[in-house]
Structure formats: structure tokens, C-alpha cells
Amino acid sequence: MSLALIQQDFLKAVNSNHNGLCGHLCQGGALKPMDRVNIYRNNTQQARVRALSDIYPMTVGIIGTRLFNMFCHRYSDSHPATHWDLNQYGREFPQFIAEQAIRFDGLAELLYLEELGHLEWLLHQSYYAVNSTEFPLEQFSGLDSASQQACRLLLSPSVGLINTDWPLYDLWQHWQQGTLPDALDPLSTTEYLCVSKDRHRPTVTPINREQYLLLSKLSHTSLVALATQPELASALKALPEYVAKGWITDFYLLGADRV
Amino acid sequence: MPVTPSHTIRSAGIGLRTPHIKPLLEQDWDIPWLEVLTDNFLSKGNLLSGTNLDLALLDSICERYPVTLHGVNLSLGGVAPLDKGYLNAMKQLYRRTSAAWVSEHACFSHSTQHQSHDLLPLPYTAEAVEHMANRISQVQDFLGEQILLENVSAYLSYQNSEMSEGEFLAEVVEQSDCLLLLDINNAYVNAQNLGGTPEDFFAALPLHRVREIHLAGYADKGTYLLDAHNNPVADKVWTLYQSVLEQIPETPTLIEWDNDIPELEVLINEATTAAQLMSKAVDKLPREALRATQCHSP
């Protein structure tokens, strides 16, 4: 049997209970071949459970370690990792866990789990995002007025946006103090949040709807086009503030070389 | 960029783990060197920016302690192409930390489609020898340095293996001209799980190529030993360590502890025990033999 086939069967066995590898293993000893393969399967799953627990600590706190780990194992079975970096594993976990939770008494009413998971993923992404350089103000100022108006602005890779009908900001604030609220009731109006990196640590800032819309549109809408949208008028005035905060870190002109 | 105080890796060090970073920076400790887990610092934002918290702390560590790099995801025995992005990032980290050397495992961990996040053993065949030796040569050419290859723990063996693990590693090392990282706990765990003896394993290895020794604790699962790195080094492993030191007494030794991580002092105590055994082994050697076993950075 070739090296390539052994590796293919081994990885299938680790990721999906496939037993093709067993026929190529030595027999004997206290363990059957499948038991031996399962040691690796378990090691692999444990690595993924640890990674997901690190990424989604608030979710662990809310549903408990036992259920969380069970969902992790199911997720691992249906979503094999494809990259060596486990910090990139688990993007679809919030949706997965929400789908699983509706089948469990006591979890079915936690309708905010998916949105909470999305917030946790953004916080995690923000931490590991490339640290951006400062906005090239000098270069931007050097453009003529028409070019400036044609520019599109780019958010820092550490910035993420989320809107939610649940008080996730309050929940996140509790978590910063090491606690969790007893219960979460839906909000009467949608909450808009901006995740960003404050020095080294990800943080959450409440923003209003106009700011959310503006930041969502920045990278694919020119400044002149944004200026024609009346609902963004007041938010546009805050652009220098976003630059100062490091939320906006670059600009580009369509057709131009530099970004 | 930090400047490592010295490239000298000597005596017994410990593996750098996240809970210990703060105490290591807040206090002076008598730790001769630290081994850094490469993969903990390769996440996409890390190496591209100079101010990520993880890297900022690592820079501070490297200013105070000599370090080596130890990776788990290069998949040296894998048939999928070497990941150039990973290799580039590893090289950047190697330069940034001024690490004395880079070590990796004699295993595979992924294919083009799947990732295991575990160290999967290879069949000990001529095909695998040639394949892994070629890849190690590629890595060494890219880094411009010899790397250290570590024997892995294993829970299964293949019918088509054509040689012992020791013979396999000896052949790979010979063909690729790399160095060895000898994990004595892994040798013990493998003998218990798969048969054979650690002594036979050691006898097959070119011990003069061993530049580092690993010691760790295993978990007894009843029907097998798990290389869990969650316990003190077992007495039987200490005994094996002493027997290896009789042949290579000054080989830098590292205490690994990855799960249920205890206070830093516990690891330092284990390292102190290793250092004392090294000193005893050195004292026993005739002066001429000692000169012949002096270790150098690769």
C-alpha cells in the first residue's frame, strides 16, 4: 500500500469514522485496530473542542461545558478542519449550534445564540487580524478634490460590524466583569455594534444605525455617492473620528494602482 | 526586533506555555532556555504586524531567554505539498526570535483536503524514508539551517513497515543530513503500546546527531499509555534518560507540559532534576570522552 493511500485512509478515519485504515494495521495487543485509530480521532476532536472553547467562551458560559462539548464533537464530524491554523476553524459554528439548540429543552428559547456566536467570532477575528498602519492622510490630502470624492475608504481588518435584536453589548459588558446576565430579553429596537481592536485587545462599541450603514458601505461606495444619501449625512461627519480610532485605515481609487 | 541574549542552549529548559508568560516576565528565573511552540505564533495577523499582543510578549521573552522553535504542523512526512505560506511564516518567526534551532516531528498531519491536528505516524518503508528526507532537505535549504527531527508517540503500526522506527529515523537523518530531537517519553510510550524496547530503539539511532532531548509525562489509560504531557516525568522515563545520558551527557534537555499545566515552579523543579542528572553523567565521563560529546548549535 502506498504512502499516499495510507495517509488518505488515515485522515478519512480521523475525520469521519471511516475504517479503511484498519486493514493495513498490525493486529495484537490489548487494543483492536479501530480502537487504536479512535485514539487519534479523539485527539483530533479534543484539539478542535479546545479551539472552539477559546473562540466562543460566552457561549460555553451560557449553555455549559457538557452541551458545548457535545455540539463541538458533532460540529467536528460535519465540519472537518481544512487548515492547520485552528484559529481559523469554527466560522460556521454559531449557525450550527443554533440549529442544534432548538432540539434541546432549556436551549430552544436561547434564540440569541447564533448572533452571540457571530459576535464572538468577530472578536476572535479582530484579535488575530493584521494590525493596520495609520491612514495615509498625507497621500489623501495630496489628491485633488474630485479624486478625493471618488475614493472608497477601507476599514481595518480588525473591524467587524454586527446588528442584533438582542442586548449583546450588555451581555459582553457583563462578560468583561466575569459574569453573565440571568436572562436576555429581546430589544425593542435593533442594536448596532462595531468590533475593533483597542491597542491589543478586541472591544465592542455601540454605534447608531446611520453609522452602521455608513461603515458597511464604505469599502464599495465612493465618498461622493455616500454624500448623496441623506440618511448618512450626520454619520459622514464622523469620518475623521473613525480614522483617529483606527477603524478606517486606507483608501483606494477605482482603477488606481495603490490600495 | 528582539536580540536573544545568547544562542547557547545548554542544560535543561522548559516549554513556553501561555500561563507562564506573565510570571516569566515579572520575575527573574533560573531557566537556561525556553522552547517556543512555533504554531502558537503563526496566526495570520501575528507575523504581519509587529504589535500583536502574543508577539509583543514573545519579543519580551526572547530578550530575556535563549529560545528554540518547535513546530507541529509542517507535516514533514505528508504527501500533500509543503505549505509555502507556513514555511515563510516559520522562517519569519525564526529570524524574529533569533531561535537557536527549529525542530519538527517525523509524522504527517494533513492531506490536500483534510487536517488532523495530531501527529500521525508513518509506515516505516523505503518510500517514506525517501519522501520525508527529500522534504526535510527542502525545508533545510529554505531555512539555510539543519533542523531537528523528533520521534513521535504512536498507538498503531502498519503491516507494510519494512524496518523498525529507529532504523527508519536513522535512514531519514542520514539521507537528509538533519539532526535529531530524541523524545524519551515517546520512546517509552511506544514500547508499551506497540512492543519492542526503548533500548533497542536508542541503539538503532545515530545518537551523535541528537541535539535535544524531550521529557514529558504520560497518562495511563489502562489499555495504553497516552502521550498526554499532563504529568510529571515517570520514574521509568527518568531511568531511560539516565541511560541515554551515559552516551550523550551534555545534550540540552527540555521538559514539556501541555495539559493541566501546573505552576511554573513545578516545571522548573523537573528541569532541575534533569540538569542534576546531566551533571552526574558528565562527572562520570573520562575527560577525553567528554570532549568528544560536546554539543554545538547546528
Side-chain angles (χ1 to χ4, degrees):
Chain A
M1 188 179 195
S2 75
L3 189 59
L5 280 173
I6 280 181
Q7 294 191 8
Q8 185 182 307
D9 279 350
F10 206 143
L11 285 158
K12 274 189 195 168
V14 162
N15 282 294
S16 62
N17 258 341
H18 183 269
N19 63 3
L21 181 70
C22 294
H24 308 292
L25 301 181
C26 295
Q27 305 277 342
L31 296 173
K32 294 175 184 166
M34 199 60 205
D35 296 331
R36 295 181 182 278
V37 172
N38 280 338
I39 296 170
Y40 291 96
R41 184 169 158 72
N42 187 54
N43 286 349
T44 296
Q45 288 212 329
Q46 288 306 317
R48 292 177 188 165
V49 169
R50 278 196 297 272
L52 292 171
S53 303
D54 287 346
I55 297 169
Y56 298 102
M58 288 187 275
T59 305
V60 177
I62 287 166
I63 71 173
T65 305
R66 191 181 62 81
L67 277 176
F68 185 87
N69 288 357
M70 186 185 74
F71 293 148
C72 288
H73 283 105
R74 292 181 180 182
Y75 183 77
S76 175
D77 285 342
S78 58
H79 295 72
T82 55
H83 195 272
W84 62 267
D85 184 2
L86 276 171
N87 286 317
Q88 296 185 36
Y89 183 66
R91 178 187 289 275
E92 302 87 1
F93 191 63
Q95 186 185 347
F96 179 86
I97 209 167
E99 289 165 3
Q100 295 284 318
I102 55 175
R103 299 174 203 159
F104 285 82
D105 287 343
L107 294 187
E109 64 270 26
L110 304 182
L111 299 174
Y112 57 86
L113 281 179
E114 183 171 356
E115 289 178 15
L116 172 63
H118 185 44
L119 174 64
E120 294 199 271
W121 179 257
L122 290 180
L123 286 163
H124 171 72
Q125 290 294 103
S126 181
Y127 180 82
Y128 284 106
V130 176
N131 276 7
S132 309
T133 51
E134 280 186 21
F135 185 82
L137 205 53
E138 207 169 302
Q139 284 175 271
F140 186 76
S141 305
L143 297 175
D144 59 55
S145 177
S147 297
Q148 282 186 354
Q149 291 303 306
C151 277
R152 288 146 203 242
L153 302 179
L154 291 173
L155 292 179
S156 161
S158 61
V159 168
L161 302 167
I162 182 171
N163 68 78
T164 174
D165 293 329
W166 298 91
L168 295 188
Y169 181 65
D170 183 51
L171 197 157
W172 177 78
Q173 282 191 308
H174 270 87
W175 185 250
Q176 300 312 297
Q177 307 302 319
T179 63
L180 285 167
D182 293 333
L184 235 58
D185 294 321
L187 296 164
S188 54
T189 57
T190 302
E191 181 174 81
Y192 300 91
L193 303 172
C194 177
V195 173
S196 63
K197 196 154 39 174
D198 181 12
R199 299 181 69 184
H200 295 307
R201 299 201 178 279
T203 188
V204 181
T205 307
I207 53 178
N208 62 36
R209 180 175 175 277
E210 290 70 31
Q211 291 170 318
Y212 176 87
L213 288 175
L214 174 67
L215 292 169
S216 304
K217 291 178 176 182
L218 272 184
S219 66
H220 53 87
T221 313
S222 67
L223 284 171
V224 69
L226 291 171
T228 63
Q229 301 180 34
E231 62 179 352
L232 301 180
S234 75
L236 273 167
K237 290 177 187 162
L239 282 179
E241 182 193 332
Y242 302 149
V243 170
K245 283 180 170 176
W247 292 5
I248 297 172
T249 52
D250 211 343
F251 69 90
Y252 72 101
L253 273 163
L254 276 186
D257 288 338
R258 76 169 298 282
V259 170
Chain B
M1 246 354 112
V3 178
T4 304
S6 165
H7 270 84
T8 309
I9 302 295
R10 56 170 186 79
S11 191
I14 62 172
L16 177 68
R17 299 297 181 265
T18 305
H20 297 150
I21 291 179
K22 200 174 167 201
L24 279 167
L25 291 174
E26 284 177 350
Q27 226 179 298
D28 283 329
W29 302 86
D30 186 18
I31 300 172
W33 60 288
L34 297 168
E35 185 179 77
V36 174
L37 289 174
T38 310
D39 303 78
N40 285 358
F41 299 93
L42 296 190
S43 275
K44 60 182 177 183
N46 272 359
L47 288 176
L48 300 172
S49 60
T51 55
N52 178 288
L53 180 59
D54 294 344
L55 275 184
L57 291 172
L58 180 62
D59 288 346
S60 300
I61 287 285
C62 293
E63 285 166 7
R64 298 175 68 156
Y65 301 93
V67 301
T68 60
L69 290 183
H70 188 51
V72 294
N73 275 308
L74 198 46
S75 195
L76 284 171
V79 292
L82 281 169
D83 184 334
K84 288 181 182 169
Y86 182 90
L87 266 177
N88 269 316
M90 186 178 83
K91 191 172 184 176
Q92 282 184 56
L93 190 68
Y94 178 49
R95 287 178 175 161
R96 182 183 185 113
T97 57
S98 301
W101 59 67
V102 172
S103 58
E104 252 291 350
H105 296 86
C107 68
F108 73 102
S109 58
H110 65 265
S111 67
T112 47
Q113 293 171 315
H114 292 109
Q115 186 78 38
S116 76
H117 297 110
D118 198 6
L119 306 170
L120 309 181
L122 294 161
Y124 304 134
T125 62
E127 180 196 11
V129 166
E130 187 179 348
H131 178 72
M132 190 156 69
N134 282 338
R135 284 162 69 95
I136 291 171
S137 297
Q138 286 177 50
V139 172
Q140 293 182 146
D141 287 347
F142 180 75
L143 282 179
E145 299 285 349
Q146 284 175 295
I147 64 167
L148 278 60
L149 182 68
E150 179 181 353
N151 57 302
V152 295
S153 53
Y155 310 101
L156 55 79
S157 55
Y158 301 95
Q159 289 172 8
N160 68 334
S161 281
E162 299 156 359
M163 58 192 95
S164 70
E165 183 191 6
E167 291 165 339
F168 173 79
L169 289 171
E171 197 59 38
V172 170
V173 165
E174 176 66 25
Q175 286 193 23
S176 63
D177 191 28
C178 72
L179 300 165
L180 276 171
L181 192 171
L182 175 58
D183 190 313
I184 294 179
N185 184 61
N186 288 353
Y188 179 73
V189 164
N190 289 0
Q192 296 298 305
N193 290 340
L194 303 171
T197 70
E199 289 80 3
D200 286 345
F201 172 66
F202 301 146
L205 296 175
L207 291 181
H208 63 282
R209 283 188 181 261
V210 175
R211 286 294 180 274
E212 181 182 345
I213 290 173
H214 271 183
L215 296 171
Y218 58 76
D220 189 340
K221 295 292 189 181
T223 50
Y224 66 97
L225 301 185
L226 182 69
D227 178 29
H229 294 191
N230 66 339
N231 275 310
V233 177
D235 289 344
K236 287 174 181 171
V237 174
W238 281 122
T239 303
L240 287 171
Y241 176 58
Q242 286 174 273
S243 73
V244 170
L245 287 179
E246 287 173 10
Q247 296 180 71
I248 44 173
E250 289 205 302
T251 310
T253 299
L254 184 104
I255 303 297
E256 284 187 302
W257 205 311
D258 290 286
N259 294 300
D260 308 323
I261 297 174
E263 296 294 312
L264 183 58
E265 287 86 346
V266 176
L267 271 78
I268 292 175
N269 286 342
E270 293 274 279
T272 303
T273 302
Q276 288 167 347
L277 293 173
M278 288 170 79
S279 296
K280 277 186 192 170
V282 169
D283 290 345
K284 278 186 193 171
L285 276 187
R287 197 170 292 271
E288 302 78 41
L290 186 57
R291 272 201 294 272
T293 63
Q294 293 284 334
C295 291
H296 303 282
S297 295

